[in-house]
Amino acid sequence: MKELKITMEFWREGELYVIHCPELDMIAQGYSLEEAKKNLFEVIEIQFEEMEEMGTLNEFLEERGFRIIDDILTSQREIIGFDKSFVKLECV
């Protein structure tokens, strides 16, 4: 398998650390940042193995904007920032 270049978002929910990969829309958790990261890599590996068996991995990666550049799978969709804003909700 080629190397995969991804973005990881971390946050804490109670005792757990949650990690999200926006390019793949995959998530994992753990009791430390290291455990959450390890668990995310495991989730990605398992999902990729299952998609490979079903013959859908390349289609999934293409839909997510990934291309192979110098033996590294890289998303061509650039994350340019994150925003935390207040939104006024009329329905609540």
Side-chain angles (χ1 to χ4, degrees):
M1 181 68 167
K2 308 274 188 242
E3 284 188 274
L4 179 66
K5 184 176 180 182
I6 59 171
T7 305
M8 292 177 278
E9 300 174 88
F10 299 92
W11 66 92
R12 193 169 178 162
E13 290 185 9
E15 297 288 315
L16 293 172
Y17 291 87
V18 179
I19 182 170
H20 175 245
C21 171
E23 294 96 344
L24 300 173
D25 196 23
M26 294 185 187
I27 196 165
Q29 62 188 20
Y31 288 101
S32 68
L33 289 174
E34 293 75 27
E35 182 182 14
K37 196 174 186 179
K38 179 182 140 291
N39 291 342
L40 178 66
F41 295 157
E42 188 174 309
V43 166
I44 292 169
E45 188 170 328
I46 290 168
Q47 289 288 352
F48 278 22
E49 286 173 0
E50 289 180 5
M51 285 187 275
E52 183 71 38
E53 286 178 18
M54 294 177 6
T56 59
L57 179 58
N58 289 335
E59 180 182 345
F60 172 80
L61 291 170
E62 286 177 18
E63 286 175 359
R64 295 287 175 180
F66 280 88
R67 302 289 178 265
I68 297 174
I69 300 171
D70 297 327
D71 286 337
I72 298 174
L73 279 167
T74 305
S75 178
Q76 300 304 293
R77 298 177 183 162
E78 181 181 358
I79 296 173
I80 58 172
F82 295 93
D83 183 27
K84 269 188 145 174
S85 300
F86 288 99
V87 177
K88 186 173 183 175
L89 300 175
E90 299 292 331
C91 62
V92 180

